[in-house]
Amino acid sequence: MLFTHLSGWAQYKQTAVNESVLLQNANGLLPLKRLDEYKIALVTTVPSRYATFIHTAKRYADIESFDFNQYDEHTKYANLIIVAGSTADLRNDLLLMVRQSIVNKKRVILVRFDDGTNSQPWNRGFLGNGISELVAPAGGEEAQAHAAMSIFGGLAITQGTHKTEQTRLQYTEAKASGLNIAAMTAKIDAIAGEAIRGRAAPGMVVMAVKNGQVIFDKAYGYHTYGQKVPTRTTDIFDLASISKIAGTTPVVMHLQEKGIINLDSTMGRYLWQAKETNKKDITLRSVLLHEAGFTPYIPFYRHLNAGDIRRSPDAGHQVKVADSAYLKNNYYRDVMWPEMLQSAVKPVGSYVYSDISMYVMKEVAEHETAEPMDNYVQHLLYRPIGMKTAGYNPRTRFAKDQIVPTEYDTSFRKVLLQGYVHDQGAAMAGGVAGHAGLFATANDLAIYGQLLLNRGDYGGVRYFKPETIDMFTSKQSKTSRRGLGFDRADPDPKKEYPSKLANESVYGHTGYTGTCIWIDPKNQLIYIFLSNRVHPQVTTKLYDLNIRSRIQDVIYETINATK
């Protein structure tokens, strides 16, 4: 094993003062743990008055929010109800409806904003002991944000009898962080502006997390150079090869640590179709290290025959690869996968970056789990930890304008790609591939990055053993800088990869569409950059201007200034 044990590194450092007090914590409910277990309704007395509370809560989980009108109908299908309002607003006639929810075995969290001036004393016993009750200062947006974060573990509750720990990302706008955020913002703004003016990308989102606290989260530019739709931090991007480490690799990590697969076993052991090929004796470890000798890239879309793609679906063309583009059924199964298995290999051991590696790992995972990988990773990881948008084929789940468009494909699909994966091979595989196909927001990636920094723990639940995270993310190759699935900082400082100031602990990945995530255990830092630099056509200007690396170094300069 080449990895270093990292258990001494800190996880969260809370600098914000949280005045929320937890008066009751029924069955230890708070902070909430696995979010996939809850269907949450948030009911406030006056939604406009509690907009900050609602907005902050929705950063953590899929939540429907309402006022008390038609309370019964709005909460019928929820199993967790968050009720929020001032002490004066929470009248008994409203609380009677809440009491019915308790009778119906729903879990209730009552958030009471109290300035101490209410003429009537609060009746603590009206709802009984079966609820969790949080009291916070009335009035301010900060108190509302802190109360919402307290529910989900974004802030530790440090006052009162029932104390809690931080277990999730904290959204406190870097207050009390000790960092010069204003100066950092000005520098990042300038670099982002240079990128947009230089047509390196029409827009981008930059996010940074330090010690579990989001210190930067900002969107720039527009979805396209037509400047009609401004880029938002909540926009969903095509992550390209980040899919390798945020989609396929966590599934492989899980299967490895459960003993379902052995990285030193061969492709021939797990894949029947590989047994009679030149790949039967290649180990999964070599595949993950890009040392299997695979062909780097096969342009499958160039080999399509007339009639393989149709502009409208029919019985034989059901694989939607873009708007008004449908591929022949089972093309991946019948053409692409056999061609990959029969492709040439070079001697095992040399580093050759190949997309085929993650096609292989997806096939191994699906044969062992008997479930499509896109479904498996959702219930294994994304839904439990609150990655609300992460997934494949986002057009089946989200509005088109929430997804940033990529290339206007002139060679294959003949249409602007929006919510359909840019990578041609992944599209032909139905949008779900081991090397590409994953879409997500920056916030979702930050959650995943924090889980990795926490060495497998997030939201108070352990999803991976620390040693599993350590092994996959650390240097595992004798011939390259790579980890297992993960890319890493180049040990040669002259290469300045991923940036000039990045250190030897850094791991992550870039994506062809103009994306990256870099995780720095030494500094407890996560850096995310998402763009659509391939719009409207592929360009190298993002590389030429060194945009991603320069922004990363601005963040390093900011945090190094406080040391």
Side-chain angles (χ1 to χ4, degrees), residues 151-200:
I151 291 171
F152 291 92
L155 270 178
I157 298 172
T158 58
Q159 302 183 36
T161 303
H162 301 284
K163 295 180 173 62
T164 65
E165 294 182 350
Q166 183 182 346
T167 60
R168 285 192 172 86
L169 290 180
Q170 179 186 129
Y171 305 100
T172 49
E173 299 179 349
K175 290 179 180 176
S177 66
L179 303 173
N180 190 340
I181 300 299
M184 181 178 77
T185 301
K187 292 177 182 177
I188 295 175
D189 287 353
I191 298 171
E194 178 187 345
I196 293 167
R197 288 191 304 274
R199 295 181 74 88

Side-chain angles (χ1 to χ4, degrees), residues 289-291 349-351 475-482:
L289 291 171
H290 295 277
E291 294 176 2
S350 297
Y351 174 69
K475 178 174 164 56
Q476 291 290 307
S477 172
K478 296 178 181 178
T479 59
S480 80
R481 64 179 183 244
R482 304 285 300 203

Side-chain angles (χ1 to χ4, degrees), residues 42-54 66-69 84-86 89-91 94 113 144:
L42 197 165
V43 183
T44 55
T45 50
V46 185
S48 60
R49 188 183 300 164
Y50 299 104
T52 299
F53 178 79
I54 295 167
F66 314 97
D67 61 17
F68 273 89
N69 290 315
S86 70
D89 287 342
L90 293 168
R91 307 183 311 267
L94 301 180
F113 296 99
Q144 289 189 30

Side-chain angles (χ1 to χ4, degrees), residues 228-239:
K228 293 180 180 178
V229 181
T231 306
R232 301 152 295 197
T233 57
T234 54
D235 282 337
I236 299 168
F237 285 79
D238 181 338
L239 302 182

Side-chain angles (χ1 to χ4, degrees), residues 250-264:
V251 173
V252 173
M253 289 194 295
H254 173 75
L255 298 179
Q256 182 271 337
E257 78 169 27
K258 295 296 183 184
I260 296 170
I261 63 172
N262 183 332
L263 298 186
D264 294 312

Side-chain angles (χ1 to χ4, degrees), residues 512-545:
Y512 185 80
T513 48
T515 61
C516 71
I517 175 171
W518 292 107
I519 297 145
D520 180 343
K522 186 176 181 180
N523 288 291
Q524 286 292 293
L525 179 71
I526 304 162
Y527 164 58
I528 295 160
F529 180 98
L530 301 181
S531 78
N532 55 337
R533 67 111 188 165
V534 296
H535 179 83
Q537 299 294 313
V538 174
T539 169
T540 62
K541 289 182 179 178
L542 195 74
Y543 302 105
D544 299 340
L545 295 172

Side-chain angles (χ1 to χ4, degrees), residues 280-446:
K280 67 180 188 302
D281 296 324
I282 296 174
T283 66
L284 302 188
R285 188 180 300 275
S286 296
V287 173
L288 283 167
L289 291 171
H290 295 277
E291 294 176 2
F294 293 152
T295 300
Y297 173 67
I298 301 175
F300 295 104
Y301 71 101
R302 294 178 186 166
H303 307 155
L304 288 167
N305 296 318
D308 287 343
I309 290 277
R310 295 278 176 89
R311 287 296 148 202
S312 57
D314 59 27
H317 296 77
Q318 294 286 315
V319 181
K320 193 172 184 181
V321 293
D323 289 309
S324 68
Y326 297 83
L327 179 66
K328 182 180 177 182
N329 295 350
N330 299 317
Y331 194 89
Y332 170 79
R333 183 196 70 186
D334 297 342
V335 178
M336 293 171 62
W337 180 233
E339 185 174 339
M340 282 185 264
L341 287 172
Q342 296 302 324
S343 62
V345 293
K346 294 181 179 179
V348 171
S350 297
Y351 174 69
V352 178
Y353 184 76
S354 172
D355 286 341
I356 293 176
S357 63
M358 288 303 188
Y359 278 107
V360 167
M361 295 312 301
K362 173 181 175 288
E363 286 290 335
V364 170
E366 291 185 335
H367 277 81
E368 292 301 314
T369 63
E371 188 173 354
M373 191 188 70
D374 52 329
N375 294 342
Y376 194 83
V377 74
Q378 284 287 350
H379 65 70
L380 170 71
L381 198 61
Y382 298 164
R383 290 179 187 142
I385 68 176
M387 292 173 71
K388 298 192 299 177
T389 62
Y392 302 80
N393 291 318
R395 284 283 294 278
T396 64
R397 297 176 295 134
F398 299 99
K400 183 177 180 178
D401 65 0
Q402 195 177 342
I403 309 165
V404 177
T406 53
E407 186 178 7
Y408 191 95
D409 185 347
T410 59
S411 61
F412 166 32
R413 287 163 279 187
K414 315 290 187 184
V415 69
L416 176 66
L417 304 176
Q418 189 165 4
Y420 294 95
V421 59
H422 177 264
D423 183 272
Q424 297 94 340
M428 295 167 73
V432 185
H435 69 295
L438 187 62
F439 288 72
T441 60
N443 192 69
D444 278 351
L445 275 185

